[in-house]
Amino acid sequence: MPIRVAIQGIRGSNHHQVADDYFESEVELVECMSFHALVDALLAGTADQGVMAIENSIAGSIIPNYALVCKHHLHIIGEHYLNIHHHMMALPGQELSDIREVRSHPMALLQCREYLKTQPQITMVEDADTAETAQRIHQQQLKGIAAIAPQMAAALYGLEIVARDIQTIPNNATRFIVVKTTNKELPREQIDKASLRFITDHKRGSLATVLNVMSDCNLNLTKIQSLPVIETPWKYSFFVDVTFEKYTDFAKALSLISILTEDFQLLGEYKNARL
């Protein structure tokens, strides 16, 4: 049986591309129009694993997704980095000069704003999803309207690309995590990255002490993100990603950090995708 993989968006989206790239075997896509719906699919058992964007090299962290992973005790079992390419696509036979309106996800429009400024005849309209917009143009045969979406969407929905790679910054990448409701254990010799979540007390130097432990144990801090603890005003939890060469170093750090912090969670141990 193919693995049922929940994605945010529909076929032709960047999440679909990541699912194709990450999983070596055939997958059955479970399309979800929001990250909350993606988590619900995992919790309900209608999906086995999920692909979730977690940070972008331009826009930064997708903070609500950190909260979703923590709240629902999801396990991060892998990661994938995808270079983002935005293309403007429309029904076959149309030229760029025929386009009067372009629709896409707000983030895609934002990342293409400089190019769109050079096309004053085109009005930008925010929509729910990149690929879903492309699908609707195909289904309703909407002329004069374009979508900004991945190349995969053009192939799936019979559209033609009228402008390629219109993103403002060429080096635009998104990090995606692969999550499950249960942990997937890799052999320790394959694990070289981990995600942690913890709370420190209000004593001076509490966070610095934790960071020093990481350094002393030869861990490389690649990400730190703070998030308010809703139940306790002015208290923050920290989400941290670390890489390491030896699992024994990580295990030593783990035992110390769990003592030095409150509400400690190991969110996942997996293979670093940026080697």
Side-chain angles (χ1 to χ4, degrees):
M1 293 289 292
I3 301 172
R4 299 172 300 172
V5 179
I7 61 170
Q8 190 277 318
I10 67 170
R11 286 167 173 77
S13 64
N14 285 317
H15 280 77
H16 178 191
Q17 185 66 63
V18 171
D20 277 359
D21 292 346
Y22 181 85
F23 294 95
E24 297 179 355
S25 57
E26 182 183 355
V27 299
E28 175 186 333
L29 293 180
V30 179
E31 299 173 338
C32 306
M33 290 311 293
S34 70
F35 288 112
H36 282 88
L38 185 156
V39 172
D40 288 343
L42 291 171
L43 297 178
T46 55
D48 304 310
Q49 300 185 30
V51 171
M52 178 183 289
I54 199 69
E55 61 179 308
N56 177 265
S57 59
I58 299 172
S61 299
I62 305 174
I63 293 177
N65 287 355
Y66 283 92
L68 283 173
V69 170
C70 175
K71 178 180 178 181
H72 298 286
H73 302 284
L74 300 180
H75 298 267
I76 302 172
I77 63 166
E79 66 175 4
H80 185 80
Y81 291 82
L82 181 70
N83 291 324
I84 305 298
H85 298 274
H86 291 308
H87 308 294
M88 190 186 302
M89 55 195 68
L91 291 175
Q94 296 190 95
E95 304 290 338
L96 182 60
S97 57
D98 298 320
I99 305 303
R100 293 293 176 266
E101 185 178 292
V102 62
R103 303 175 182 176
S104 194
H105 188 278
M107 187 59 66
L109 293 174
L110 177 65
Q111 293 177 0
C112 300
R113 186 172 295 275
E114 292 305 310
Y115 172 82
L116 293 173
K117 285 180 180 179
T118 69
Q119 306 295 323
Q121 79 281 7
I122 299 178
T123 300
M124 292 182 285
V125 178
E126 295 185 355
D127 216 324
D129 181 64
T130 55
E132 195 271 338
T133 303
Q135 182 191 57
R136 195 181 326 119
I137 290 173
H138 166 72
Q139 289 177 340
Q140 300 179 15
Q141 291 294 290
L142 301 175
K143 292 186 176 181
I145 298 177
I148 294 177
Q151 182 170 319
M152 176 187 282
L156 284 172
Y157 303 119
L159 304 183
E160 290 183 352
I161 295 176
V162 296
R164 291 183 176 274
D165 285 316
I166 63 173
Q167 63 272 7
T168 302
I169 300 176
N171 297 322
N172 177 11
T174 297
R175 177 184 174 226
F176 296 78
I177 53 175
V178 181
V179 292
K180 287 184 67 176
T181 57
T182 56
N183 193 21
K184 174 188 175 185
E185 293 187 6
L186 288 173
R188 287 192 171 187
E189 60 271 15
Q190 293 184 24
I191 297 172
D192 55 7
K193 189 170 185 178
S195 295
L196 319 173
R197 183 258 186 190
F198 55 83
I199 298 173
T200 59
D201 58 32
H202 284 298
K203 293 179 181 178
R204 185 180 60 176
S206 295
L207 178 59
T209 299
V210 174
L211 298 181
N212 285 334
V213 166
M214 293 180 183
S215 178
D216 292 343
C217 292
N218 300 313
L219 305 189
N220 179 33
L221 178 68
T222 62
K223 176 74 177 180
I224 183 167
Q225 177 69 52
S226 63
L227 206 63
V229 178
I230 297 175
E231 301 83 3
T232 310
W234 312 117
K235 199 164 192 177
Y236 293 86
S237 59
F238 295 94
F239 292 81
V240 170
D241 292 333
V242 293
T243 59
F244 43 88
E245 293 184 4
K246 298 178 181 179
Y247 188 89
T248 51
D249 289 339
F250 172 64
K252 179 181 177 181
L254 207 62
S255 62
L256 294 172
I257 294 170
S258 61
I259 296 170
L260 293 170
T261 60
E262 305 171 17
D263 199 19
F264 175 84
Q265 287 179 263
L266 174 59
L267 301 176
E269 301 174 325
Y270 45 96
K271 190 167 182 60
N272 183 8
R274 292 198 66 194
L275 292 176

